Amino acid sequence: MERIVYCRGDFRAEAQAHVSLFDRGFLFGDAVYEVTAVIGGRMIDNELHLARLQRSLSGLSIPMPMPVAEIEHIQQQLIARNNLTEGTVYLQVSRGEADRDFLYPDGLVPTLVGFTQARRLVGTKGQREGVAVDLAEDPRWTRRDIKTVMLLGQVLAKVRARKHGFADVWLVENGKVTEGASSTAYIVTADGRIVPRGDSQATLPGCTRRALLRLCAEHRLKVEERSFTPEEAQNAVEAFMTSASSLVLPVVQIGNAPVGGGTPGPLTRKLQGYYLEAAGVQTRDITADDYPV
Ligand code: PDD
């Protein structure tokens, strides 16, 4: 069955959906995006994603293409029309279409497109066994708090890491881990503190991070928001990362160093369970040995 996508006002078969050659998203990377997880046909933390979409647009002085409720309706239509039970909904808003010029004219109409991607999010091999991440210098611009489609730095870093046998890569700037190439990075200290970097322009304010820190507070887990070095991460008792597409993903190797004995740690397991529970995933939907909380 051909996928139905949303493109500039219409739902269409994907082969019939087109954006102009002169769209500034294509010519300048002048666009922002969001990825929302869908589990059991329901969007997870979507209000956070829509709030961040507004924040990213406002940071680039691009107007919202339509009210938030209408964007959410489009997401729901995409899920329904594609019978999506598990996967992601992608939204992208560019500044619009104009002849190529660094300076943009007033009054451009933003281009909104959206599509679904069916894939397994819950109980993946990585979530069960943990993944190895490489380390690389952060090659990106300085406004990483805006979720732009300028992702070439991440693309190259991920491809290089994959070539070297790693599942993903954590990026490093001035001797400190900024974040994963498409995820938020965390370590757990010997005294049981969960350590994510504090929010700043250096990293994307992760929606999964926000939701998870709320759960940590509810469950009275200790959190310390601060930067950490790659060496501290390699010597941490546990490490993990979060994103809409990987949920809570254990990290069991950083560079060449195994972390926490090379298996997912107990606190990471707990957080996986809390996150799924909050997302409304019934334990019976998960394969038997997925997340023993
Ligand atoms: N990426 N940091 C970066 C650089 C990211 O690209 C992402 C998400 C995150 C985690 O954010 P969230 O928890 O809101 O998904 C952190 C998405 C999944 C992507 O680019 O596909």
Side-chain angles (χ1 to χ4, degrees), residues 146-176:
I146 302 175
K147 196 165 175 59
T148 75
V149 299
M150 298 189 299
L151 294 170
L152 191 53
Q154 286 103 308
V155 168
L156 297 181
K158 276 176 180 273
V159 168
R160 186 168 184 278
R162 188 57 68 91
K163 225 177 244 171
H164 294 150
F166 295 91
D168 211 326
V169 54
W170 282 11
L171 303 172
V172 180
E173 182 177 63
N174 299 326
K176 299 279 170 60

PDB file of all heavy atoms in Angstrom, residues 146-176:
ATOM      1  N   ILE A 146      17.779  24.807  18.266  1.00  0.00           N
ATOM      2  CA  ILE A 146      16.743  24.926  17.234  1.00  0.00           C
ATOM      3  C   ILE A 146      16.819  23.665  16.378  1.00  0.00           C
ATOM      4  O   ILE A 146      17.893  23.312  15.889  1.00  0.00           O
ATOM      5  CB  ILE A 146      16.970  26.189  16.371  1.00  0.00           C
ATOM      6  CG1 ILE A 146      16.983  27.441  17.261  1.00  0.00           C
ATOM      7  CG2 ILE A 146      15.903  26.295  15.295  1.00  0.00           C
ATOM      8  CD1 ILE A 146      17.332  28.718  16.510  1.00  0.00           C
ATOM      9  N   LYS A 147      15.682  22.999  16.214  1.00  0.00           N
ATOM     10  CA  LYS A 147      15.700  21.687  15.538  1.00  0.00           C
ATOM     11  C   LYS A 147      15.613  21.882  14.025  1.00  0.00           C
ATOM     12  O   LYS A 147      14.567  21.669  13.403  1.00  0.00           O
ATOM     13  CB  LYS A 147      14.544  20.822  16.064  1.00  0.00           C
ATOM     14  CG  LYS A 147      14.704  19.334  15.735  1.00  0.00           C
ATOM     15  CD  LYS A 147      13.757  18.511  16.562  1.00  0.00           C
ATOM     16  CE  LYS A 147      13.755  17.040  16.212  1.00  0.00           C
ATOM     17  NZ  LYS A 147      15.027  16.363  16.338  1.00  0.00           N
ATOM     18  N   THR A 148      16.732  22.306  13.427  1.00  0.00           N
ATOM     19  CA  THR A 148      16.725  22.569  11.989  1.00  0.00           C
ATOM     20  C   THR A 148      17.041  21.291  11.219  1.00  0.00           C
ATOM     21  O   THR A 148      17.573  20.326  11.776  1.00  0.00           O
ATOM     22  CB  THR A 148      17.770  23.625  11.575  1.00  0.00           C
ATOM     23  OG1 THR A 148      19.064  23.027  11.606  1.00  0.00           O
ATOM     24  CG2 THR A 148      17.734  24.840  12.485  1.00  0.00           C
ATOM     25  N   VAL A 149      16.755  21.325   9.908  1.00  0.00           N
ATOM     26  CA  VAL A 149      17.044  20.172   9.058  1.00  0.00           C
ATOM     27  C   VAL A 149      18.499  20.170   8.582  1.00  0.00           C
ATOM     28  O   VAL A 149      18.880  19.334   7.767  1.00  0.00           O
ATOM     29  CB  VAL A 149      16.097  20.105   7.832  1.00  0.00           C
ATOM     30  CG1 VAL A 149      14.661  19.980   8.276  1.00  0.00           C
ATOM     31  CG2 VAL A 149      16.290  21.314   6.918  1.00  0.00           C
ATOM     32  N   MET A 150      19.319  21.076   9.102  1.00  0.00           N
ATOM     33  CA  MET A 150      20.749  21.083   8.727  1.00  0.00           C
ATOM     34  C   MET A 150      21.456  19.964   9.492  1.00  0.00           C
ATOM     35  O   MET A 150      22.044  20.188  10.548  1.00  0.00           O
ATOM     36  CB  MET A 150      21.376  22.428   9.086  1.00  0.00           C
ATOM     37  CG  MET A 150      20.746  23.590   8.338  1.00  0.00           C
ATOM     38  SD  MET A 150      21.681  25.084   8.583  1.00  0.00           S
ATOM     39  CE  MET A 150      21.569  25.298  10.335  1.00  0.00           C
ATOM     40  N   LEU A 151      21.370  18.763   8.942  1.00  0.00           N
ATOM     41  CA  LEU A 151      21.789  17.574   9.700  1.00  0.00           C
ATOM     42  C   LEU A 151      23.019  16.887   9.111  1.00  0.00           C
ATOM     43  O   LEU A 151      23.317  15.750   9.466  1.00  0.00           O
ATOM     44  CB  LEU A 151      20.615  16.584   9.759  1.00  0.00           C
ATOM     45  CG  LEU A 151      19.405  17.087  10.554  1.00  0.00           C
ATOM     46  CD1 LEU A 151      18.210  16.156  10.366  1.00  0.00           C
ATOM     47  CD2 LEU A 151      19.727  17.215  12.031  1.00  0.00           C
ATOM     48  N   LEU A 152      23.763  17.602   8.228  1.00  0.00           N
ATOM     49  CA  LEU A 152      24.877  16.940   7.551  1.00  0.00           C
ATOM     50  C   LEU A 152      25.970  16.523   8.543  1.00  0.00           C
ATOM     51  O   LEU A 152      26.576  15.450   8.391  1.00  0.00           O
ATOM     52  CB  LEU A 152      25.447  17.854   6.455  1.00  0.00           C
ATOM     53  CG  LEU A 152      26.424  17.205   5.501  1.00  0.00           C
ATOM     54  CD1 LEU A 152      25.852  15.939   4.870  1.00  0.00           C
ATOM     55  CD2 LEU A 152      26.824  18.190   4.406  1.00  0.00           C
ATOM     56  N   GLY A 153      26.203  17.358   9.561  1.00  0.00           N
ATOM     57  CA  GLY A 153      27.201  16.984  10.579  1.00  0.00           C
ATOM     58  C   GLY A 153      26.840  15.653  11.230  1.00  0.00           C
ATOM     59  O   GLY A 153      27.680  14.759  11.388  1.00  0.00           O
ATOM     60  N   GLN A 154      25.562  15.517  11.587  1.00  0.00           N
ATOM     61  CA  GLN A 154      25.096  14.266  12.209  1.00  0.00           C
ATOM     62  C   GLN A 154      25.151  13.098  11.230  1.00  0.00           C
ATOM     63  O   GLN A 154      25.530  11.990  11.591  1.00  0.00           O
ATOM     64  CB  GLN A 154      23.657  14.424  12.718  1.00  0.00           C
ATOM     65  CG  GLN A 154      23.542  15.252  13.973  1.00  0.00           C
ATOM     66  CD  GLN A 154      23.034  16.636  13.690  1.00  0.00           C
ATOM     67  OE1 GLN A 154      23.580  17.333  12.837  1.00  0.00           O
ATOM     68  NE2 GLN A 154      22.006  17.047  14.396  1.00  0.00           N
ATOM     69  N   VAL A 155      24.764  13.354   9.981  1.00  0.00           N
ATOM     70  CA  VAL A 155      24.776  12.288   8.973  1.00  0.00           C
ATOM     71  C   VAL A 155      26.197  11.737   8.844  1.00  0.00           C
ATOM     72  O   VAL A 155      26.422  10.520   8.928  1.00  0.00           O
ATOM     73  CB  VAL A 155      24.287  12.827   7.599  1.00  0.00           C
ATOM     74  CG1 VAL A 155      24.571  11.828   6.481  1.00  0.00           C
ATOM     75  CG2 VAL A 155      22.793  13.141   7.659  1.00  0.00           C
ATOM     76  N   LEU A 156      27.181  12.632   8.671  1.00  0.00           N
ATOM     77  CA  LEU A 156      28.561  12.180   8.466  1.00  0.00           C
ATOM     78  C   LEU A 156      29.092  11.473   9.711  1.00  0.00           C
ATOM     79  O   LEU A 156      29.767  10.443   9.614  1.00  0.00           O
ATOM     80  CB  LEU A 156      29.464  13.365   8.082  1.00  0.00           C
ATOM     81  CG  LEU A 156      29.100  14.051   6.753  1.00  0.00           C
ATOM     82  CD1 LEU A 156      30.072  15.188   6.453  1.00  0.00           C
ATOM     83  CD2 LEU A 156      29.071  13.059   5.598  1.00  0.00           C
ATOM     84  N   ALA A 157      28.781  12.016  10.898  1.00  0.00           N
ATOM     85  CA  ALA A 157      29.267  11.392  12.139  1.00  0.00           C
ATOM     86  C   ALA A 157      28.658  10.000  12.326  1.00  0.00           C
ATOM     87  O   ALA A 157      29.345   9.053  12.732  1.00  0.00           O
ATOM     88  CB  ALA A 157      28.931  12.288  13.337  1.00  0.00           C
ATOM     89  N   LYS A 158      27.369   9.860  12.007  1.00  0.00           N
ATOM     90  CA  LYS A 158      26.710   8.552  12.171  1.00  0.00           C
ATOM     91  C   LYS A 158      27.255   7.536  11.161  1.00  0.00           C
ATOM     92  O   LYS A 158      27.475   6.374  11.512  1.00  0.00           O
ATOM     93  CB  LYS A 158      25.194   8.691  11.982  1.00  0.00           C
ATOM     94  CG  LYS A 158      24.452   9.137  13.237  1.00  0.00           C
ATOM     95  CD  LYS A 158      22.985   9.338  12.890  1.00  0.00           C
ATOM     96  CE  LYS A 158      22.140   9.788  14.056  1.00  0.00           C
ATOM     97  NZ  LYS A 158      21.608   8.698  14.863  1.00  0.00           N
ATOM     98  N   VAL A 159      27.456   7.976   9.931  1.00  0.00           N
ATOM     99  CA  VAL A 159      27.958   7.055   8.902  1.00  0.00           C
ATOM    100  C   VAL A 159      29.360   6.573   9.281  1.00  0.00           C
ATOM    101  O   VAL A 159      29.685   5.389   9.178  1.00  0.00           O
ATOM    102  CB  VAL A 159      27.954   7.737   7.504  1.00  0.00           C
ATOM    103  CG1 VAL A 159      28.745   6.920   6.489  1.00  0.00           C
ATOM    104  CG2 VAL A 159      26.518   7.934   7.032  1.00  0.00           C
ATOM    105  N   ARG A 160      30.187   7.494   9.764  1.00  0.00           N
ATOM    106  CA  ARG A 160      31.548   7.136  10.162  1.00  0.00           C
ATOM    107  C   ARG A 160      31.525   6.148  11.339  1.00  0.00           C
ATOM    108  O   ARG A 160      32.231   5.143  11.337  1.00  0.00           O
ATOM    109  CB  ARG A 160      32.293   8.425  10.554  1.00  0.00           C
ATOM    110  CG  ARG A 160      33.745   8.225  10.851  1.00  0.00           C
ATOM    111  CD  ARG A 160      34.466   9.577  10.941  1.00  0.00           C
ATOM    112  NE  ARG A 160      35.882   9.374  11.136  1.00  0.00           N
ATOM    113  CZ  ARG A 160      36.433   9.116  12.314  1.00  0.00           C
ATOM    114  NH1 ARG A 160      35.670   9.036  13.395  1.00  0.00           N
ATOM    115  NH2 ARG A 160      37.723   8.933  12.414  1.00  0.00           N
ATOM    116  N   ALA A 161      30.656   6.431  12.310  1.00  0.00           N
ATOM    117  CA  ALA A 161      30.548   5.537  13.471  1.00  0.00           C
ATOM    118  C   ALA A 161      30.092   4.144  13.027  1.00  0.00           C
ATOM    119  O   ALA A 161      30.632   3.128  13.467  1.00  0.00           O
ATOM    120  CB  ALA A 161      29.567   6.118  14.486  1.00  0.00           C
ATOM    121  N   ARG A 162      29.112   4.112  12.154  1.00  0.00           N
ATOM    122  CA  ARG A 162      28.580   2.827  11.687  1.00  0.00           C
ATOM    123  C   ARG A 162      29.662   2.033  10.952  1.00  0.00           C
ATOM    124  O   ARG A 162      29.795   0.826  11.128  1.00  0.00           O
ATOM    125  CB  ARG A 162      27.366   3.090  10.792  1.00  0.00           C
ATOM    126  CG  ARG A 162      26.598   1.834  10.392  1.00  0.00           C
ATOM    127  CD  ARG A 162      26.105   1.030  11.596  1.00  0.00           C
ATOM    128  NE  ARG A 162      25.076   1.708  12.348  1.00  0.00           N
ATOM    129  CZ  ARG A 162      23.774   1.579  12.140  1.00  0.00           C
ATOM    130  NH1 ARG A 162      23.344   0.797  11.184  1.00  0.00           N
ATOM    131  NH2 ARG A 162      22.907   2.229  12.893  1.00  0.00           N
ATOM    132  N   LYS A 163      30.482   2.770  10.154  1.00  0.00           N
ATOM    133  CA  LYS A 163      31.571   2.125   9.418  1.00  0.00           C
ATOM    134  C   LYS A 163      32.548   1.465  10.380  1.00  0.00           C
ATOM    135  O   LYS A 163      33.166   0.460  10.085  1.00  0.00           O
ATOM    136  CB  LYS A 163      32.304   3.196   8.601  1.00  0.00           C
ATOM    137  CG  LYS A 163      32.601   2.776   7.183  1.00  0.00           C
ATOM    138  CD  LYS A 163      33.257   3.898   6.411  1.00  0.00           C
ATOM    139  CE  LYS A 163      32.375   4.361   5.273  1.00  0.00           C
ATOM    140  NZ  LYS A 163      32.853   5.564   4.619  1.00  0.00           N
ATOM    141  N   HIS A 164      32.683   2.071  11.568  1.00  0.00           N
ATOM    142  CA  HIS A 164      33.611   1.524  12.566  1.00  0.00           C
ATOM    143  C   HIS A 164      32.937   0.545  13.518  1.00  0.00           C
ATOM    144  O   HIS A 164      33.495   0.204  14.568  1.00  0.00           O
ATOM    145  CB  HIS A 164      34.282   2.668  13.339  1.00  0.00           C
ATOM    146  CG  HIS A 164      35.181   3.484  12.454  1.00  0.00           C
ATOM    147  ND1 HIS A 164      35.424   4.823  12.656  1.00  0.00           N
ATOM    148  CD2 HIS A 164      35.861   3.147  11.337  1.00  0.00           C
ATOM    149  CE1 HIS A 164      36.228   5.271  11.703  1.00  0.00           C
ATOM    150  NE2 HIS A 164      36.520   4.277  10.895  1.00  0.00           N
ATOM    151  N   GLY A 165      31.722   0.145  13.187  1.00  0.00           N
ATOM    152  CA  GLY A 165      31.066  -0.911  13.954  1.00  0.00           C
ATOM    153  C   GLY A 165      30.233  -0.431  15.137  1.00  0.00           C
ATOM    154  O   GLY A 165      29.773  -1.242  15.942  1.00  0.00           O
ATOM    155  N   PHE A 166      30.006   0.889  15.253  1.00  0.00           N
ATOM    156  CA  PHE A 166      29.191   1.415  16.359  1.00  0.00           C
ATOM    157  C   PHE A 166      27.760   1.655  15.880  1.00  0.00           C
ATOM    158  O   PHE A 166      27.533   1.936  14.701  1.00  0.00           O
ATOM    159  CB  PHE A 166      29.769   2.740  16.862  1.00  0.00           C
ATOM    160  CG  PHE A 166      31.122   2.610  17.481  1.00  0.00           C
ATOM    161  CD1 PHE A 166      32.280   2.761  16.723  1.00  0.00           C
ATOM    162  CD2 PHE A 166      31.259   2.315  18.829  1.00  0.00           C
ATOM    163  CE1 PHE A 166      33.535   2.635  17.292  1.00  0.00           C
ATOM    164  CE2 PHE A 166      32.508   2.180  19.411  1.00  0.00           C
ATOM    165  CZ  PHE A 166      33.651   2.344  18.638  1.00  0.00           C
ATOM    166  N   ALA A 167      26.825   1.570  16.819  1.00  0.00           N
ATOM    167  CA  ALA A 167      25.423   1.802  16.468  1.00  0.00           C
ATOM    168  C   ALA A 167      25.141   3.284  16.279  1.00  0.00           C
ATOM    169  O   ALA A 167      24.264   3.679  15.517  1.00  0.00           O
ATOM    170  CB  ALA A 167      24.521   1.246  17.562  1.00  0.00           C
ATOM    171  N   ASP A 168      25.896   4.131  17.011  1.00  0.00           N
ATOM    172  CA  ASP A 168      25.615   5.570  16.984  1.00  0.00           C
ATOM    173  C   ASP A 168      26.853   6.314  17.482  1.00  0.00           C
ATOM    174  O   ASP A 168      27.905   5.700  17.693  1.00  0.00           O
ATOM    175  CB  ASP A 168      24.394   5.886  17.861  1.00  0.00           C
ATOM    176  CG  ASP A 168      23.598   7.083  17.342  1.00  0.00           C
ATOM    177  OD1 ASP A 168      24.211   8.014  16.797  1.00  0.00           O
ATOM    178  OD2 ASP A 168      22.366   7.093  17.490  1.00  0.00           O
ATOM    179  N   VAL A 169      26.708   7.625  17.701  1.00  0.00           N
ATOM    180  CA  VAL A 169      27.869   8.424  18.100  1.00  0.00           C
ATOM    181  C   VAL A 169      27.443   9.520  19.080  1.00  0.00           C
ATOM    182  O   VAL A 169      26.366  10.085  18.949  1.00  0.00           O
ATOM    183  CB  VAL A 169      28.568   9.020  16.842  1.00  0.00           C
ATOM    184  CG1 VAL A 169      27.596   9.794  15.974  1.00  0.00           C
ATOM    185  CG2 VAL A 169      29.770   9.877  17.201  1.00  0.00           C
ATOM    186  N   TRP A 170      28.273   9.737  20.098  1.00  0.00           N
ATOM    187  CA  TRP A 170      28.086  10.874  21.003  1.00  0.00           C
ATOM    188  C   TRP A 170      29.070  11.955  20.583  1.00  0.00           C
ATOM    189  O   TRP A 170      30.246  11.651  20.283  1.00  0.00           O
ATOM    190  CB  TRP A 170      28.330  10.461  22.461  1.00  0.00           C
ATOM    191  CG  TRP A 170      27.167   9.726  23.064  1.00  0.00           C
ATOM    192  CD1 TRP A 170      26.070   9.223  22.403  1.00  0.00           C
ATOM    193  CD2 TRP A 170      26.984   9.406  24.452  1.00  0.00           C
ATOM    194  NE1 TRP A 170      25.216   8.621  23.302  1.00  0.00           N
ATOM    195  CE2 TRP A 170      25.749   8.714  24.558  1.00  0.00           C
ATOM    196  CE3 TRP A 170      27.725   9.631  25.606  1.00  0.00           C
ATOM    197  CZ2 TRP A 170      25.255   8.252  25.784  1.00  0.00           C
ATOM    198  CZ3 TRP A 170      27.233   9.173  26.822  1.00  0.00           C
ATOM    199  CH2 TRP A 170      26.012   8.501  26.902  1.00  0.00           C
ATOM    200  N   LEU A 171      28.613  13.197  20.571  1.00  0.00           N
ATOM    201  CA  LEU A 171      29.415  14.313  20.077  1.00  0.00           C
ATOM    202  C   LEU A 171      30.062  15.062  21.242  1.00  0.00           C
ATOM    203  O   LEU A 171      29.485  15.146  22.339  1.00  0.00           O
ATOM    204  CB  LEU A 171      28.540  15.236  19.231  1.00  0.00           C
ATOM    205  CG  LEU A 171      27.862  14.513  18.048  1.00  0.00           C
ATOM    206  CD1 LEU A 171      26.857  15.412  17.350  1.00  0.00           C
ATOM    207  CD2 LEU A 171      28.916  13.995  17.059  1.00  0.00           C
ATOM    208  N   VAL A 172      31.260  15.579  20.998  1.00  0.00           N
ATOM    209  CA  VAL A 172      32.076  16.176  22.064  1.00  0.00           C
ATOM    210  C   VAL A 172      32.542  17.561  21.630  1.00  0.00           C
ATOM    211  O   VAL A 172      32.995  17.734  20.492  1.00  0.00           O
ATOM    212  CB  VAL A 172      33.317  15.289  22.342  1.00  0.00           C
ATOM    213  CG1 VAL A 172      34.184  15.890  23.450  1.00  0.00           C
ATOM    214  CG2 VAL A 172      32.894  13.863  22.693  1.00  0.00           C
ATOM    215  N   GLU A 173      32.413  18.532  22.556  1.00  0.00           N
ATOM    216  CA  GLU A 173      32.879  19.891  22.279  1.00  0.00           C
ATOM    217  C   GLU A 173      33.579  20.442  23.519  1.00  0.00           C
ATOM    218  O   GLU A 173      33.047  20.308  24.627  1.00  0.00           O
ATOM    219  CB  GLU A 173      31.671  20.776  21.935  1.00  0.00           C
ATOM    220  CG  GLU A 173      32.045  22.195  21.574  1.00  0.00           C
ATOM    221  CD  GLU A 173      30.812  22.982  21.164  1.00  0.00           C
ATOM    222  OE1 GLU A 173      29.904  23.150  22.021  1.00  0.00           O
ATOM    223  OE2 GLU A 173      30.734  23.394  20.009  1.00  0.00           O
ATOM    224  N   ASN A 174      34.747  21.028  23.326  1.00  0.00           N
ATOM    225  CA  ASN A 174      35.540  21.541  24.445  1.00  0.00           C
ATOM    226  C   ASN A 174      35.701  20.499  25.549  1.00  0.00           C
ATOM    227  O   ASN A 174      35.570  20.806  26.745  1.00  0.00           O
ATOM    228  CB  ASN A 174      34.911  22.820  25.034  1.00  0.00           C
ATOM    229  CG  ASN A 174      34.832  23.924  23.997  1.00  0.00           C
ATOM    230  OD1 ASN A 174      35.708  24.031  23.135  1.00  0.00           O
ATOM    231  ND2 ASN A 174      33.777  24.723  24.052  1.00  0.00           N
ATOM    232  N   GLY A 175      35.923  19.261  25.159  1.00  0.00           N
ATOM    233  CA  GLY A 175      36.186  18.207  26.138  1.00  0.00           C
ATOM    234  C   GLY A 175      34.965  17.697  26.884  1.00  0.00           C
ATOM    235  O   GLY A 175      35.084  16.890  27.808  1.00  0.00           O
ATOM    236  N   LYS A 176      33.755  18.159  26.493  1.00  0.00           N
ATOM    237  CA  LYS A 176      32.523  17.690  27.154  1.00  0.00           C
ATOM    238  C   LYS A 176      31.573  17.100  26.111  1.00  0.00           C
ATOM    239  O   LYS A 176      31.503  17.589  24.979  1.00  0.00           O
ATOM    240  CB  LYS A 176      31.811  18.859  27.852  1.00  0.00           C
ATOM    241  CG  LYS A 176      32.652  19.528  28.946  1.00  0.00           C
ATOM    242  CD  LYS A 176      32.592  18.732  30.223  1.00  0.00           C
ATOM    243  CE  LYS A 176      33.583  19.191  31.287  1.00  0.00           C
ATOM    244  NZ  LYS A 176      33.430  20.562  31.725  1.00  0.00           N
TER     245      LYS A 176
END
